[in-house]
């Protein structure tokens, strides 16, 4: 009996070993070949300017801004400025900007409207860089446009963008993206406390930090300071606005009377436009409330000065320049041209 029991035990172990040998070997998983996908969700942007021709858009956390002019797009992200130079940005039919986010990664779509379709510029944003993924033109084969139903996914280095069933989808390869140049020639943003601390010496700000040049001599405009002036000026607290107006009017005098070559006329017109968009609405709003602070309506405006003091030299060229550049997509400039045209030698209308 004992021998029979031992025999059964031996047979059991023999069968067990046979099963292990005959079991198929599991293939090793190559983790390096595993795809990893993330989806991006749309986030609303706060844009200023016309609905389909904005001059600036900001995300809800105020950490990313996108500014537009005729020949470039300026991004400010994590206090760094990135510039994308373009031969021609603005579509005559308008454009619209969309933002999509997944944690710290973002995708920006700029939709330029064409007569028979769309031209998309696409950017990829992470903590340390902004990359231009490329552009893609889509022809619309029907007269009606379906609403966008965005679906954006990144799988490894591939970014897929789906618009809607009518327009379809397109893709970009992150490994072929172009890093946008950072602009370190001037600080992208200024600490608010720094501006508040210099309110008694506003010339430090208005004469040195708003209109500057990059290494190639191209005009840079710090719109954050202009925004600060617009939001913080009151009828009794107008130091920055008055100083900015004084600085720009002196640039005009230097150029047309003293032959100054600090700025070319094209840049000077742009400086006048951006400065007047800031100062002149403030003058119009507040000067009657505090005549002493606004020098009885004799100072604090720019376009009225251009119309009265330099009408023959500048007014027609200046206003035509504004029209050609769509008033730089600034929210107040066109209205302020009309306001300035009513000025006479006595001052404000």
């Amino acid at each position: 009996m004992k021998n029979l029991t031992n025999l059964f035990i031996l047979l059991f172990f023999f069968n067990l070993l046979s099963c292990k040998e005959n079991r198929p070997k599991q293939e090793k998983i190559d983790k390096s070949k595993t795809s990893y996908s993330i989806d991006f969700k749309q986030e609303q942007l706060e844009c200023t300017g016309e609905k389909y021709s904005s001059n600036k858009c900001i995300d809800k956390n105020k950490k990313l801004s996108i500014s537009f002019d005729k020949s470039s797009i300026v991004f400010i992200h994590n206090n760094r400025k990135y510039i994308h130079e373009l031969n021609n940005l603005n579509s005559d039919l308008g454009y619209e900007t969309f933002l999509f986010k997944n944690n710290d990664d973002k995708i920006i779509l700029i939709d330029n409207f064409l007569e028979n379709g769309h031209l998309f510029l696409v950017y990829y944003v992470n903590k340390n860089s902004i990359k231009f993924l490329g552009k893609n033109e889509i022809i619309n084969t029907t007269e009606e446009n379906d609403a966008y139903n965005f679906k954006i996914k990144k799988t490894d280095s591939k970014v897929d963008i789906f618009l809607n069933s009518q327009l379809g989808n397109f893709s970009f390869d992150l490994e072929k993206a172009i890093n946008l140049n950072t602009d370190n020639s001037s600080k992208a943003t200024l600490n608010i406390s720094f501006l508040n601390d210099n309110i008694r010496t506003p010339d430090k700000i208005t004469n040195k930090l708003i209109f500057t040049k990059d290494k190639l001599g191209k005009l840079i405009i710090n719109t954050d300071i202009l925004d600060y002036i617009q939001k913080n000026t009151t009828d009794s607290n107008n130091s920055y606005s008055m100083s900015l107006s004084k600085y720009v009017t002196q640039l005009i005098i230097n150029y047309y009377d003293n032959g100054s070559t600090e700025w070319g006329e094209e840049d000077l017109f742009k400086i006048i436009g951006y400065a007047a968009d800031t100062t002149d609405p403030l003058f119009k709003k507040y000067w009657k409330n505090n005549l002493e602070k606004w020098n009885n309506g004799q100072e604090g405006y720019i376009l009225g000065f251009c119309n009265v003091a330099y009408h023959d030299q500048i007014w027609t060229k200046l206003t035509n320049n504004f029209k050609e550049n769509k008033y730089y997509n600034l929210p107040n400039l066109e209205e302020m041209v009309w306001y300035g045209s009513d000025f006479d030698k006595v001052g404000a209308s």
Side-chain angles (χ1 to χ4, degrees):
M1 186 68 179
K2 185 176 181 181
N3 290 335
L4 187 60
T5 301
N6 289 335
L7 179 62
F8 278 119
I9 292 172
L10 288 173
L11 288 173
F12 173 77
F13 279 108
F14 177 78
N15 288 331
L16 183 63
L17 289 173
S18 298
C19 289
K20 285 186 177 181
E21 289 177 0
N22 294 329
R23 186 181 300 165
K25 293 182 180 179
Q26 291 183 342
E27 294 183 4
K28 292 184 179 180
I29 298 174
D30 186 353
K31 293 184 179 180
S32 64
K33 294 182 180 179
T34 302
S35 294
Y36 178 66
S37 296
I38 58 174
D39 294 312
F40 289 78
K41 293 184 178 180
Q42 187 171 358
E43 181 174 300
Q44 293 301 311
L45 286 167
E46 179 183 331
C47 296
T48 57
E50 297 179 16
K51 183 176 181 181
Y52 295 115
S53 185
S54 58
N55 60 297
K56 187 175 183 179
C57 294
I58 302 174
D59 73 339
K60 67 179 182 180
N61 296 318
K62 312 295 183 185
K63 292 183 178 180
L64 170 68
S65 73
I66 310 161
S67 302
F68 304 90
D69 63 27
K70 192 173 184 179
S71 61
S72 64
I73 305 175
V74 178
F75 303 87
I76 296 177
H77 184 243
N78 290 337
N79 291 336
R80 290 184 181 178
K81 181 183 284 187
Y82 303 83
I83 299 177
H84 189 197
E85 300 285 352
L86 298 165
N87 293 330
N88 186 22
L89 165 65
N90 296 342
S91 165
D92 291 337
L93 301 176
Y95 58 90
E96 192 170 6
T97 305
F98 302 94
L99 176 66
F100 305 86
K101 185 176 179 182
N102 182 293
N103 295 324
D104 292 324
D105 292 348
K106 303 176 180 71
I107 290 177
I108 299 167
L109 265 64
I110 299 174
D111 177 10
N112 286 270
F113 309 147
L114 307 177
E115 287 188 9
N116 60 343
H118 303 262
L119 175 64
F120 289 92
L121 305 179
V122 186
Y123 302 84
Y124 192 91
V125 183
N126 59 26
K127 284 184 178 180
N128 302 313
S129 68
I130 297 181
K131 302 175 185 290
F132 177 53
L133 290 177
K135 57 186 178 181
N136 193 82
E137 182 174 337
I138 292 182
I139 304 301
N140 190 6
T141 56
T142 65
E143 293 183 0
E144 295 183 1
N145 280 317
D146 291 341
Y148 290 132
N149 183 23
F150 291 112
K151 293 179 183 177
I152 298 182
K153 177 178 288 189
K154 173 180 172 289
T155 305
D156 299 330
S157 66
K158 184 182 178 185
V159 176
D160 293 306
I161 299 169
F162 181 84
L163 302 174
N164 57 36
S165 57
Q166 177 185 329
L167 298 176
N169 66 307
F170 52 92
S171 302
F172 293 103
D173 188 345
L174 257 175
E175 294 181 356
K176 297 179 180 179
I178 300 171
N179 281 307
L180 297 190
N181 293 326
T182 56
D183 175 21
N184 298 316
S185 58
S186 65
K187 197 168 183 180
T189 57
L190 288 177
N191 191 293
I192 295 300
S193 63
F194 176 79
L195 292 168
N196 290 334
D197 291 344
N198 284 277
I199 193 69
R200 294 182 180 178
T201 54
D203 292 356
K204 287 184 179 180
I205 307 298
T206 58
N207 299 13
K208 302 292 183 182
L209 297 178
I210 298 179
F211 304 107
T212 57
K213 296 180 181 180
D214 64 14
K215 294 177 181 178
L216 299 176
K218 183 179 178 180
L219 171 64
I220 299 172
I221 301 175
N222 193 319
T223 56
D224 288 331
I225 301 178
L226 296 178
D227 290 343
Y228 173 87
I229 294 173
Q230 284 183 322
K231 292 175 182 177
N232 291 276
T233 296
T234 65
D235 56 358
S236 60
N237 179 17
N238 65 347
S239 297
Y240 281 129
S241 183
M242 293 290 279
S243 179
L244 176 58
S245 175
K246 179 182 176 182
Y247 169 67
V248 174
T249 54
Q250 188 60 50
L251 288 182
I252 296 167
I253 294 169
N254 290 344
Y255 184 87
Y256 290 99
D257 290 351
N258 303 327
S260 171
T261 57
E262 180 182 1
W263 300 101
E265 192 172 51
E266 187 78 16
D267 282 343
L268 179 61
F269 286 170
K270 192 170 186 179
I271 289 170
I272 293 171
Y274 272 79
D277 182 75
T278 303
T279 62
D280 290 21
L282 298 171
F283 174 88
K284 181 182 178 183
K285 182 178 181 180
Y286 291 123
W287 78 272
K288 292 181 181 179
N289 298 340
N290 192 330
L291 295 177
E292 182 180 357
K293 275 287 183 179
W294 297 90
N295 196 24
N296 291 313
Q298 297 298 309
E299 294 179 6
Y301 51 82
I302 294 174
L303 291 177
F305 172 83
C306 292
N307 179 37
V308 174
Y310 288 85
H311 184 89
D312 293 340
Q313 298 101 313
I314 192 175
W315 189 248
T316 300
K317 285 195 297 182
L318 178 68
T319 53
N320 285 339
N321 173 276
F322 289 165
K323 291 176 184 177
E324 291 169 2
N325 287 283
K326 298 182 180 179
Y327 295 90
Y328 300 108
N329 294 318
L330 296 170
N332 307 308
L333 186 55
E334 185 173 6
E335 179 188 351
M336 290 303 104
V337 168
W338 288 105
Y339 181 63
S341 66
D342 287 336
F343 277 63
D344 56 26
K345 292 182 179 179
V346 177
S349 56

